Amino acid sequence: MAKGDSALSGEEEKFSTHYFPPSDNDREICFKGRYLSIYNKQTEHYETHIDNDTPSTEYKKYKVPAGYTVYVRGGTVYFEV
């Protein structure tokens, strides 16, 4: 299994750093940790940008619109399937 596959299939996966490329469909991601960015390179729009000094310890759900890249640093995530 490749890095990120568990998270995409709905299982918790911890990352020091990882990015998920854009999808053709809207998605929802659950995140806890230090850094999360949901960004569209074409429009330069941030749907979500979180940079915690102290990592969060409870999951929170975020919308990932189609065409947006997800960047994670020092966090644990899973996608709702």
Side-chain angles (χ1 to χ4, degrees):
M1 215 175 219
K3 185 176 180 182
D5 286 351
S6 291
L8 288 169
S9 67
E11 299 175 26
E12 292 180 355
E13 191 167 355
K14 187 174 183 175
F15 299 100
S16 55
T17 61
H18 188 66
Y19 84 95
F20 295 92
S23 170
D24 293 335
N25 303 309
D26 289 348
R27 304 178 280 177
E28 289 191 334
I29 189 171
C30 296
F31 164 82
K32 67 178 179 179
R34 187 168 300 277
Y35 181 88
L36 174 69
S37 176
I38 301 172
Y39 181 70
N40 185 316
K41 287 183 181 181
Q42 293 179 338
T43 64
E44 298 183 357
H45 176 259
Y46 283 95
E47 177 71 18
T48 300
H49 186 113
I50 298 167
D51 193 359
N52 295 318
D53 290 332
T54 303
S56 59
T57 58
E58 293 186 25
Y59 283 106
K60 189 170 177 187
K61 189 186 311 186
Y62 299 92
K63 179 184 174 186
V64 182
Y68 281 66
T69 300
V70 176
Y71 299 91
V72 178
R73 285 196 312 254
T76 305
V77 300
Y78 65 90
F79 286 85
E80 292 202 335
V81 290

